[in-house]
Amino acid sequence: MPSDTRTSNTATREARTGSHPGASGSGTHARTLAGIQAAIHAAPARGLTVDFNLGSSLDMCTNNGGDVLTLAGALTAPAVTSIDWQKQSAWLAAGASIADVSRELLVQGWALATLGGTASSTVAGALALDARGPHNSDDSETSGLPRMIEFVDGVGNTRQFVGGAANSPAITAIVAGLGLTGVCTEIELPLRPVSTGWMLVDSRRCETSDEVFAQLSGGPTGVYTMARIDPTGRGTGLGRGIAVSGRFAKVAELPEIRQPNALEYVDCAAGRNASRVPLRVGNAATRRALKGITHRTAAAQRRAELIPMASFFHADCELRAAGRELANTITYEFVVPVDQSEMIPRFLDRIGHLKVVGQAATLTRHAPRATGPLGITTDGWKLTIDLDTDVPGLGRVLDDWDEKVAAAGGQVSLATDSRMRIDMIAAMYPDLAKWQELRRYIDPQGHFSSNLARRLSL
Amino acid sequence: MIDGVGNVSSVLVVGAANPLCLATVDRLVGPRLSRVYALDSNPDSLSRGAQRIADFGVPNVSQLWYPSRDPVAQRAAVTSAFEESDVDVIVIGPSPRTDAASTDAMAIEDNAEYLERALIDIVNLAGQCATSIAQQGHGVMTLFSHSPRKIPANLDHDYCAAMASLHILAPSIAQVTASNGGKTICAAIDPVRDPNSTRDAGVRSSAMSPLEVASEIVPAIVARRKRRTFEVISLPRSLRKSALRIRPGR
């Protein structure tokens, strides 16, 4: 842990105010624990939000008129403080990016037990979003969850919470807490041993949604599964897509030329590449036609394709993040119960009639896992899709769909939300009052705030 | 704040008697619009405007009267709206002369008094609103103004002067709003096409309707693209459309 023995003057200098790109609020950098405390004490009336390096397009990470706290210095490097080989866990700097953490862990033959979200987001950000990547049938209810968390609360006190089990304080307070319950400084996360940083990926083109669901339902153990859905499918092709399953490759499975660098971390270039090509080519009809061609020209089946782990776990999220930044799309993510799988093609049909072009749509099996009161607990199917916003009537359709999801016992994700109605939250998140009570206890003066918190009166 | 799909939750209207402002609020009404603050210096115009806004289907309409020629009280009126909740959109337009003023010789306002009300007060309020948007960190300021043209004799010159001065001041106001996340949209209407420019029925037949003006600017208000912090929309957009409107027999 960084030393907490600095004087208040140093701490004030530490919480250095600077300009922050975009309109997400003015920026403050904290390099030490004392810097965080100074930033909390100096928080303006419109509050303070933590920069999780998720871009300025998510309401959760922006705080118009308020302050945005960026962790720097000792709070980001070294990314991995220590590794406990017996417990298979590591203490990580909360401000370090997932990419930096993965790079350092991989050299020693480890990977985070749960990988999801964007590679550039911070470890604390991935927890605040409760970001999960492709589904792994091996995962238990507590796999991937923090074992211990150290964070600074709204009063400026350092707290240490134990996690690892469902309903443990660390999970309730921080996981899916949307960054409103404190500033994480260090996190102990579980690891899994790996022999290479590459995934052996099988993919199969599915022409119906039933085929996609069947591909995602089964699967051998230790395999991560997801499907990239083609939102332009119509009729029987509604919900068609490419089902992908992957597992960590063994050294012997790599080509000889790659074997010496088997544990090298290869960055995910999806977001960077997306910024080089125009995301809004032509009109909606052209974009739909291009999407359809992409699906139809994909190979019917690919086996044992080697893909860097970063690309496998983060590429879709990186694409969505790039879309939000560059093309002003919104991300809509919802989970419906397992027995309501027909709602997924129905949703795609609905937005198809509206002539909305969906981007980077992915479908995963969402297994129940311990999470915070604002996390998704539904055991079901999760659809994540980017939607163009310049379509009249989209707001009403999504409002209507929120109601249908809530009535079916599903949940719309708050982490990526940019438009939900206030009254829907109580219907989807029954533990909201419990979370608000916890928030009042941790942050009695309400120092932590964000656009999302203000819009939804959290 | 304006949400991801362009829903507005609160609006502040400066010039509650201006049909252009009212038409803009009408077009902004949606499922999330829960509060509108109406500001005017004329109590009658204020209550009439507030009633119209309530008729559009807005559940909460607050009337905020401000005294003319009193910058301190005007600042307090604007600040009180911002203190209550975040304001997403501000619509500013000088109120045209009242119907009574144009017909009743006893009620004709003194030109200087009208100019003070339409020009000085509005400019002061626009500056105050821009400052409040900058403090809030988000919001869209919408200004109604006139594109610089030679004014025909049959138009209300005082009203046109107020509108032209807003056009000149718009870039400065935009600089203030843009200093911290705000956006400014300036509707520059051709004076001859502005429905408020005159009470002369013959001239008004060629004017754009308030809803027509609102329909042109509302998409820019709720647009998600924030790269441009200042946008001037010249109206009417198309000369052809405008010519069709005034062609005899249509």
Side-chain angles (χ1 to χ4, degrees):
Chain A
M1 283 291 301
S3 164
D4 192 8
T5 55
R6 308 184 76 127
T7 63
S8 60
N9 285 343
T10 318
T12 311
R13 278 202 302 276
E14 208 60 69
R16 189 162 54 82
T17 302
S19 64
H20 191 272
S24 51
S26 62
T28 301
H29 289 74
R31 294 171 186 280
T32 62
L33 198 61
I36 295 175
Q37 287 162 338
I40 290 171
H41 289 136
R46 287 175 72 86
L48 177 80
T49 193
V50 185
D51 179 11
F52 294 128
N53 206 15
L54 290 161
S56 59
S57 54
L58 283 182
D59 276 3
M60 186 194 116
C61 314
T62 47
N63 188 17
N64 292 120
D67 233 345
V68 177
L69 176 68
T70 306
L71 302 186
L75 299 165
T76 58
V80 180
T81 316
S82 65
I83 298 177
D84 188 328
W85 288 60
Q86 258 78 44
K87 282 165 61 188
Q88 296 204 347
S89 66
W91 274 100
L92 311 171
S97 70
I98 296 285
D100 288 344
V101 167
S102 294
R103 190 175 290 113
E104 287 192 26
L105 287 175
L106 198 55
V107 176
Q108 303 186 52
W110 296 101
L112 289 173
T114 297
L115 280 163
T118 58
S120 54
S121 83
T122 63
V123 177
L127 278 182
L129 256 82
D130 194 14
R132 302 185 203 180
H135 171 66
N136 186 347
S137 54
D138 284 358
D139 284 350
S140 66
E141 203 187 330
T142 53
S143 57
L145 289 172
R147 304 247 167 99
M148 194 89 88
I149 285 176
E150 282 189 2
F151 72 101
V152 183
D153 65 14
V155 187
N157 295 333
T158 308
R159 289 169 183 262
Q160 195 172 59
F161 276 173
V162 181
N167 294 325
S168 56
I171 291 167
T172 313
I174 297 295
V175 178
L178 308 173
L180 296 169
T181 44
V183 185
C184 277
T185 52
E186 277 203 297
I187 301 163
E188 188 186 7
L189 281 178
L191 307 176
R192 71 169 67 227
V194 293
S195 17
T196 70
W198 293 81
M199 307 292 291
L200 271 181
V201 179
D202 296 340
S203 56
R204 183 187 162 140
R205 194 177 68 205
C206 304
E207 294 302 341
T208 63
S209 58
D210 289 343
E211 247 185 279
V212 173
F213 288 123
Q215 286 290 319
L216 299 184
S217 297
T221 56
V223 173
Y224 295 87
T225 52
M226 60 172 282
R228 296 194 174 99
I229 300 294
D230 172 20
T232 63
R234 292 287 169 269
T236 53
L238 266 175
R240 70 186 182 186
I242 294 165
V244 178
S245 59
R247 63 173 174 82
F248 280 99
K250 305 263 183 261
V251 179
E253 291 167 329
L254 296 185
E256 265 184 42
I257 196 165
R258 289 213 190 276
Q259 286 180 3
N261 300 320
L263 289 172
E264 188 185 21
Y265 184 80
V266 180
D267 281 313
C268 172
R272 276 203 310 277
N273 292 344
S275 64
R276 289 185 192 136
V277 292
L279 291 179
R280 300 175 68 86
V281 184
N283 57 16
T286 317
R287 292 204 292 277
R288 265 197 303 279
L290 283 173
K291 287 246 161 251
I293 290 169
T294 312
H295 175 82
R296 285 197 299 277
T297 54
Q301 193 158 17
R302 279 179 197 270
R303 294 193 67 81
E305 197 182 355
L306 271 178
I307 291 178
M309 63 181 264
S311 299
F312 182 79
F313 288 105
H314 306 298
D316 297 285
C317 270
E318 294 278 0
L319 272 177
R320 279 193 286 271
R324 285 195 302 267
E325 293 288 334
L326 303 168
N328 294 297
T329 56
I330 57 163
T331 300
Y332 188 60
E333 183 175 86
F334 65 92
V335 180
V336 290
V338 181
D339 56 346
Q340 301 281 339
S341 59
E342 79 282 353
M343 284 184 76
I344 305 284
R346 261 171 55 207
F347 172 74
L348 295 169
D349 188 32
R350 189 83 194 269
I351 61 160
H353 279 109
L354 205 63
K355 300 202 185 319
V356 181
V357 185
Q359 319 267 359
T362 54
L363 180 71
T364 49
R365 177 79 173 78
H366 191 275
R369 192 179 79 167
T371 183
L374 297 189
I376 294 179
T377 50
T378 310
D379 179 16
W381 299 102
K382 179 167 80 176
L383 180 76
T384 313
I385 188 168
D386 255 24
L387 299 170
D388 286 345
T389 52
D390 49 4
V391 180
L394 177 65
R396 282 174 206 276
V397 167
L398 294 182
D399 283 351
D400 183 38
W401 197 256
D402 286 350
E403 287 172 16
K404 284 192 169 69
V405 169
Q411 289 168 298
V412 175
S413 167
L414 283 178
T416 53
D417 175 61
S418 59
R419 39 136 304 272
M420 213 198 293
R421 245 177 26 220
I422 295 175
D423 57 304
M424 294 311 301
I425 304 169
M428 292 180 196
Y429 295 90
D431 290 337
L432 178 65
K434 183 179 151 192
W435 180 82
Q436 284 171 328
E437 194 184 326
L438 175 89
R439 194 180 163 209
R440 275 193 293 275
Y441 169 68
I442 290 177
D443 181 19
Q445 288 167 311
H447 283 315
F448 300 111
S449 186
S450 65
N451 286 353
L452 181 82
R454 262 194 298 277
R455 183 166 52 76
L456 297 177
S457 305
L458 292 175
Chain B
M1 62 187 305
I2 299 176
D3 74 8
V5 288
N7 285 315
V8 175
S9 53
S10 65
V11 178
L12 173 69
V13 182
V14 181
N18 190 332
L20 295 171
C21 297
L22 292 175
T24 307
V25 176
D26 190 8
R27 286 301 316 273
L28 286 170
V29 170
R32 306 280 200 286
L33 183 56
S34 58
R35 181 167 284 280
V36 173
Y37 302 94
L39 268 78
D40 208 300
S41 58
N42 183 333
D44 289 344
S45 306
L46 180 60
S47 59
R48 272 206 309 275
Q51 186 54 49
R52 283 279 308 278
I53 293 167
D55 293 343
F56 296 151
V58 181
N60 301 306
V61 183
S62 305
Q63 300 181 30
L64 299 169
W65 175 81
Y66 61 85
S68 193
R69 288 170 286 177
D70 187 349
V72 178
Q74 289 166 8
R75 189 182 309 137
V78 172
T79 311
S80 68
F82 275 85
E83 272 171 2
E84 219 167 297
S85 66
D86 277 16
V87 176
D88 298 340
V89 178
I90 298 177
V91 187
I92 299 179
S95 295
R97 283 181 199 273
T98 57
D99 287 334
S102 58
T103 52
D104 182 0
M106 297 299 289
I108 290 175
E109 292 165 287
D110 176 48
N111 283 346
E113 192 188 321
Y114 175 75
L115 266 178
E116 269 182 351
R117 196 159 59 80
L119 175 59
I120 310 290
D121 288 354
I122 290 294
V123 167
N124 177 49
L125 283 161
Q128 184 53 47
C129 288
T131 311
S132 297
I133 281 186
Q135 282 166 357
Q136 184 182 253
H138 71 94
V140 181
M141 171 90 100
T142 311
L143 296 169
F144 287 106
S145 69
H146 276 177
S147 46
R149 293 278 160 84
K150 208 169 192 178
I151 310 293
N154 52 2
L155 300 187
D156 182 342
H157 281 217
D158 297 327
Y159 172 78
C160 291
M163 291 289 271
S165 60
L166 267 181
H167 188 79
I168 294 163
L169 284 167
S172 315
I173 291 166
Q175 265 188 344
V176 179
T177 55
S179 64
N180 189 20
K183 186 167 95 170
T184 304
I185 290 163
C186 177
I189 310 167
D190 184 338
V192 184
R193 304 279 185 268
D194 183 348
N196 296 335
S197 292
T198 179
R199 297 273 154 199
D200 184 342
V203 180
R204 274 170 68 91
S205 65
S206 66
M208 296 176 81
S209 75
L211 265 177
E212 210 176 338
V213 173
S215 302
E216 295 283 0
I217 59 166
V218 164
I221 294 174
V222 299
R224 248 175 92 75
R225 291 184 190 85
K226 289 179 185 165
R227 300 234 158 75
R228 273 199 212 160
T229 52
F230 179 44
E231 199 173 339
V232 179
I233 299 173
S234 296
L235 297 172
R237 275 188 200 269
S238 152
L239 282 174
R240 187 176 161 273
K241 266 189 194 170
S242 169
L244 282 175
R245 275 184 57 78
I246 58 174
R247 202 168 63 190
R250 281 185 68 89

